[in-house]
């Protein structure tokens, strides 16, 4: 009996996103993305064009330091590394017919380094990085034309990298679109907000695009495993009243419909009722319905926190900067940003997704954002991040419980395996990494990298395949 529930071949690693790590926002022909005009993340207004206070313009300069960073990931023993390809590096405006070769060549170099170190790539095709031109000229994903642009982009990636990349994710947190239309769907937000019907139509376009990419992958890169990626958040009833249980079911349905469509190939009845009750009729063609039948090989998700729900909306509040609202759970502690810490919730959501979809699962984001302090220990600069070790250890123990429950889990990529710019706050002070990066919210710093205490802890976890937890 091995002394760990983690199976041989379990994929241990870390995750990042192009817009939060690379910088070089206009280098080698890259076009602007919606992120380049979001200097405050989802916590503040967009700007017309990039402003110097937008930390993502430089990020942590991974565009030039990728070899050094990947060598550090290899030092921890990563078996897999999740990263996104910046759509506007490949198609600067998004609607061109020919790709930007310099953009493609950059990711060739990243894949070369990963191969050198024997690290499996896990590629996110679209991670909140819609080309700004598609947002401004077409209205983002509310426009059906984006399906064709995304198809061309995905086909280009599968043709170029299909023999080197096995694991693909179509959209990052595809279920965030209704909550963050500009960041997630490239949808410009007018004064009165985006009409709900247009948001649901945009959601439909993304689901069709995801399914078409899955079909293209099967044609062009037969060895590829294509997954959807959703933001998971277990929802507990604030009281045992049936009304609160119904409130939980309704909130859960708002999240689960994306995984349902990706695994069943059609819209579930509860979703069609939701549209009917709001008087929304979607433009769904017969071709769309056929496309949606191209279901995924696995389901991946991010997990940070759980939330409570109640039939009494006056009790609603949300953690600062998190995409999904909800009601604070009085039984749980919270991070500095109000994200409630619930390791057991990860076991619950693994069981819920496995029971519901019976598809292999991949945890592609989990981590603790914190204000780390760089100190010197035995002459070395480091961060004594026992709080992050505790958070990750507790969550990984629960992954082990879910494996004992019989859940099929492919792997785990901790979010922000190196300090990068936060999506919600667009700051660097909300740090997640096993590696500290010397860059501050005012843009100052040397960009030097330093191993935190968690760097060595995680290397042990990987070396022992979880036995050291
Ligand atoms: C998820 C995004 C990631 C990452 C993560 C942490 O929603 O997929 O891009 O940013 O949130 O959130 P934050 O960076 O806002 O702390």
């Amino acid at each position: 009996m091995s002394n760990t529930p983690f199976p041989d071949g379990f994929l241990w690693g870390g995750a990042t996103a192009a817009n939060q790590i690379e910088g070089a926002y206009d280098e080698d022909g890259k076009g602007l993305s919606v992120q380049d005009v979001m200097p405050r993340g989802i916590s503040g207004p967009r700007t017309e064009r990039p402003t110097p206070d937008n930390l993502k313009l430089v990020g942590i300069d991974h565009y030039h330091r990728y070899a050094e960073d990947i060598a550090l990931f290899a030092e921890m023993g990563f078996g897999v590394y999740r990263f996104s390809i910046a759509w506007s590096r490949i198609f600067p405006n998004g609607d061109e017919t020919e790709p930007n070769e310099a953009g493609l060549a950059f990711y060739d170099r990243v894949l070369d380094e990963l191969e050198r170190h024997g690290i499996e790539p896990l590629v996110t095709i679209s991670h909140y990085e819609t080309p700004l031109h598609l947002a401004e000229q077409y209205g983002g994903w509310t426009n059906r034309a984006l399906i064709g642009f995304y198809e061309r982009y995905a086909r280009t990636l599968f043709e170029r990298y299909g023999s080197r990349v096995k694991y693909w994710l179509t959209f990052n947190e595809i279920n965030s679109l209704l909550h963050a239309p500009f960041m997630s769907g490239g949808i410009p937000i007018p004064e009165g907000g985006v009409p709900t019907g247009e948001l649901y139509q945009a959601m439909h376009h993304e689901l069709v695009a995801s399914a078409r990419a899955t079909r293209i992958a099967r044609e062009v890169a037969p060895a590829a495993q294509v997954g959807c990626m959703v933001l998971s958040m277990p929802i507990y009833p604030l009281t045992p009243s049936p009304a609160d249980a119904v409130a939980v079911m309704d909130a859960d349905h708002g999240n689960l419909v994306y995984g349902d469509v990706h695994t069943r190939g059609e819209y579930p009845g509860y979703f069609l009722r939701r549209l009917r009750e709001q008087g929304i009729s979607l433009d769904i063609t017969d071709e769309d319905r056929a496309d949606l039948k191209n279901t995924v090989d696995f389901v991946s998700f991010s997990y940070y926190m759980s939330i409570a729900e109640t039939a009494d909306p006056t009790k609603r509040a949300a953690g600062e900067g998190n995409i999904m609202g909800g009601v604070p759970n009085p039984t749980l502690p919270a991070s500095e940003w109000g994200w409630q810490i619930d390791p057991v919730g990860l076991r619950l959501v693994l069981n819920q997704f496995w029971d519901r979809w019976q598809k292999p699962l991949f945890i592609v984001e989990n981590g603790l954002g914190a204000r780390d302090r760089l100190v010197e220990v035995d002459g070395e600069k480091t961060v004594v991040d026992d709080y992050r070790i505790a958070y990750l250890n507790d969550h990984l123990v629960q992954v082990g419980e879910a494996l004992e429950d019989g859940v099929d889990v492919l792997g785990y990529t901790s979010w922000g395996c190196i300090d990068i710019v936060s999506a919600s706050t667009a700051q660097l002070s909300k740090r997640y990494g096993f590696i500290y990066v010397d860059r501050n919210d005012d843009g100052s710093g040397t960009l030097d990298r330093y191993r935190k205490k968690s760097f060595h802890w995680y290397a042990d976890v990987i070396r022992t395949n979880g036995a050291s937890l």
Side-chain angles (χ1 to χ4, degrees), residues 141 144 147 150-151 171 174 202-214 261-262 267 283-285 287-289 291-292:
W141 279 93
R144 179 172 280 271
I147 299 174
Y150 179 90
E151 257 191 274
F171 288 90
I174 192 166
M203 164 194 175
H204 173 66
H205 292 155
E206 284 199 355
L207 287 168
V208 170
S210 182
R212 286 197 194 173
T214 304
V261 173
H262 274 104
Y267 287 111
D283 164 30
I284 302 177
T285 67
E287 187 190 8
D288 293 350
R289 285 190 180 82
D291 287 331
L292 291 178

Side-chain angles (χ1 to χ4, degrees), residues 20 127-128 172-173 304 339 365 415 422-424 430 432:
Q20 297 171 253
H127 193 129
Y128 295 154
N172 179 68
E173 296 187 333
Y304 294 96
W339 293 18
E365 292 185 25
W415 175 258
S422 154
S424 52
K430 187 176 186 186
Y432 283 87

Side-chain angles (χ1 to χ4, degrees), residues 16-17 19-20 42 82 127-128 172-173 176 183 229 231 302 304 321-323 337 339 365 369 415 420-427 430 432:
T16 66
N19 75 89
Q20 297 171 253
I42 56 176
R82 178 195 175 207
H127 193 129
Y128 295 154
N172 179 68
E173 296 187 333
S176 65
M183 178 173 79
M229 194 284 193
L231 181 157
S302 61
Y304 294 96
N322 201 317
I323 288 167
W337 279 269
W339 293 18
E365 292 185 25
W415 175 258
I420 51 181
V421 181
S422 154
S424 52
T425 66
Q427 292 180 316
K430 187 176 186 186
Y432 283 87

Side-chain angles (χ1 to χ4, degrees), residues 364-398:
V364 295
E365 292 185 25
N366 177 241
L368 178 68
R371 295 182 200 285
D372 292 347
R373 202 162 55 83
L374 193 63
V375 296
E376 199 152 305
V377 174
D378 303 333
E380 291 278 314
K381 286 188 177 179
T382 184
V383 175
V384 184
D385 55 344
D386 293 321
Y387 41 86
R388 179 168 295 110
I389 291 171
Y391 177 100
L392 295 171
N393 195 90
D394 293 348
H395 283 79
L396 284 169
V397 164
Q398 295 302 321

Side-chain angles (χ1 to χ4, degrees), residues 205-467:
H205 292 155
E206 284 199 355
L207 287 168
V208 170
S210 182
R212 286 197 194 173
T214 304
R215 186 193 64 221
I216 293 167
R218 303 248 153 85
E219 292 162 15
V220 171
Q225 294 287 298
V226 181
C228 63
M229 194 284 193
V230 292
L231 181 157
S232 79
M233 193 176 292
I235 304 175
Y236 306 123
L238 192 61
T239 74
S241 71
D244 280 2
V246 170
V248 168
M249 182 185 76
D250 285 343
D252 248 348
H253 278 163
N255 272 334
L256 295 172
V257 59
Y258 298 83
D260 286 352
V261 173
H262 274 104
T263 56
R264 303 177 190 170
E266 60 186 14
Y267 287 111
Y270 64 80
F271 180 74
L272 301 176
R273 173 180 178 175
R274 185 174 286 225
L275 294 180
R276 278 198 309 277
E277 288 179 343
Q278 296 181 69
I280 293 168
S281 62
L282 291 185
D283 164 30
I284 302 177
T285 67
D286 290 343
E287 187 190 8
D288 293 350
R289 285 190 180 82
D291 287 331
L292 291 178
K293 296 293 183 196
N294 292 282
T295 56
V296 293
D297 300 302
F298 67 96
V299 173
S300 75
F301 62 93
S302 61
Y303 179 80
Y304 294 96
M305 61 183 285
S306 62
I307 201 78
E309 258 306 346
T310 171
D312 176 358
T314 61
K315 294 180 186 161
R316 291 181 70 79
E320 177 195 338
N322 201 317
I323 288 167
M324 301 288 185
V327 176
N329 182 329
T331 69
L332 291 172
S335 77
E336 296 169 70
W337 279 269
W339 293 18
Q340 297 209 268
I341 298 170
D342 177 15
V344 171
L346 180 50
R347 178 186 177 193
L348 293 172
V349 82
L350 280 163
N351 273 279
Q352 179 189 38
F353 285 4
W354 174 247
D355 294 348
R356 189 178 185 98
W357 297 319
Q358 289 286 294
K359 292 276 185 181
L361 301 174
F362 211 130
I363 304 156
V364 295
E365 292 185 25
N366 177 241
L368 178 68
R371 295 182 200 285
D372 292 347
R373 202 162 55 83
L374 193 63
V375 296
E376 199 152 305
V377 174
D378 303 333
E380 291 278 314
K381 286 188 177 179
T382 184
V383 175
V384 184
D385 55 344
D386 293 321
Y387 41 86
R388 179 168 295 110
I389 291 171
Y391 177 100
L392 295 171
N393 195 90
D394 293 348
H395 283 79
L396 284 169
V397 164
Q398 295 302 321
V399 176
E401 292 295 331
L403 285 162
E404 300 278 14
D405 295 332
V407 178
D408 181 353
V409 188
L410 293 170
Y412 173 91
T413 57
S414 177
W415 175 258
C417 47
I418 184 169
D419 289 351
I420 51 181
V421 181
S422 154
S424 52
T425 66
Q427 292 180 316
L428 270 155
S429 49
K430 187 176 186 186
R431 297 173 184 276
Y432 283 87
F434 298 112
I435 301 157
Y436 182 93
V437 175
D438 181 10
R439 190 166 193 236
N440 307 302
D441 287 347
D442 62 4
S444 65
T446 63
L447 284 169
D448 288 348
R449 277 76 163 137
Y450 301 102
R451 298 168 185 78
K452 301 179 190 177
K453 184 175 179 182
S454 56
F455 178 102
H456 306 291
W457 166 83
Y458 196 45
D460 267 352
V461 171
I462 296 173
R463 184 176 49 75
T464 63
N465 195 30

